[in-house]
Amino acid sequence: MHHLVPRFNGQKAVIYNTIQTYLTTSFDTLMVDLASARHYAVKYGVKVVRGGYMDQERRVAASLGHPCLVHPDKPSTDGSYHKTLEHTLNEVAKGHASVMVASHNQKTVEFALEKIRELGLSLEDGSVTFGQLLGMGDYLTYPLAQAGYVANKVMPYGPIDAVASYLSRRAQENRGMVKNAQAERFLYARELRRRMWG
């Protein structure tokens, strides 16, 4: 992937790397990627995710006797995500990067919005976008779009075995989805009433 960035990314990011912030090495990876983009004088594109291979990574590291590179708990992972995102948004403000905030976590989206406002980032140039899986996080996606942000719905596609395991990992990551689904139902009902009765 890294060989494609100098070729296709100029002043606009076309190729995006994914930074999995559940890994303790994620911030270092970001710094190396940013340095590489600066070296080639291109804009760096990054999708910041928490990641969904935590249990698998822990099992593999233990079975091989290697140190585990996964953050020990959710607060550490959240801190890693926010540190990575904040640094990336600062790079966006300098014109060096574009970022997709890929998260179903409401606190993370609120954190991103606060930093976007603090930095005075533009909505028009597409340097900051948001993304959630189709069918997940609609209570985040739709208000973001209504507020003028680029909000993407991502739809997994591929062989059923690969898609099912991918979605299973996302469901594990989003254990609070039942509460979120209740909030979504409330918002859908409210919107339906608004459309029907003004």
Side-chain angles (χ1 to χ4, degrees):
M1 198 264 340
H2 287 96
H3 67 283
L4 298 174
V5 171
R7 185 172 169 198
F8 292 102
N9 288 15
Q11 295 310 306
K12 179 176 174 57
V14 176
I15 305 294
Y16 279 63
N17 189 19
T18 300
I19 298 288
Q20 307 237 14
T21 60
Y22 74 99
L23 295 171
T24 58
T25 56
S26 60
F27 192 77
D28 293 337
T29 300
L30 173 72
M31 299 309 289
V32 167
D33 287 354
L34 284 166
S36 177
R38 277 192 293 277
H39 172 77
Y40 289 107
V42 297
K43 187 173 275 193
Y44 175 60
V46 61
K47 178 175 71 166
V48 181
V49 304
R50 276 185 176 71
Y53 303 95
M54 292 166 275
D55 295 334
Q56 180 182 346
E57 294 257 3
R58 286 185 181 112
R59 279 193 307 272
V60 169
S63 73
L64 297 174
H66 292 172
C68 184
L69 298 178
V70 176
H71 282 288
D73 52 35
K74 185 170 181 335
S76 300
T77 302
D78 289 346
S80 172
Y81 191 106
H82 290 182
K83 177 182 177 182
T84 301
L85 180 59
E86 184 170 16
H87 190 82
T88 304
L89 289 170
N90 285 324
E91 293 295 316
V92 170
K94 297 173 191 172
H96 299 159
S98 292
V99 63
M100 175 185 275
V101 181
S103 179
H104 300 108
N105 183 301
Q106 184 170 347
K107 288 181 181 172
T108 292
V109 170
E110 290 169 354
F111 175 84
L113 293 172
E114 179 182 324
K115 296 300 172 190
I116 290 165
R117 282 190 286 274
E118 283 177 13
L119 294 166
L121 299 176
S122 169
L123 301 181
E124 283 81 43
D125 68 358
S127 288
V128 179
T129 62
F130 291 84
Q132 290 85 33
L133 283 168
L134 184 64
M136 294 184 182
D138 293 344
Y139 71 101
L140 297 169
T141 313
Y142 299 135
L144 285 166
Q146 287 176 338
Y149 293 94
V150 176
N152 301 286
K153 292 308 269 184
V154 179
M155 184 173 77
Y157 174 80
I160 190 69
D161 292 347
V163 172
S165 63
Y166 174 83
L167 290 174
S168 173
R169 288 191 303 273
R170 299 294 85 73
Q172 286 175 354
E173 282 174 27
N174 296 287
R175 290 183 179 109
M177 283 177 47
V178 171
K179 186 175 85 173
N180 295 343
Q182 291 169 340
E184 285 186 45
R185 280 196 301 277
F186 170 77
L187 292 172
Y188 287 140
R190 187 173 73 182
E191 180 63 15
L192 182 61
R193 283 192 299 275
R194 184 190 69 77
R195 289 183 186 193
M196 293 179 72
W197 295 290

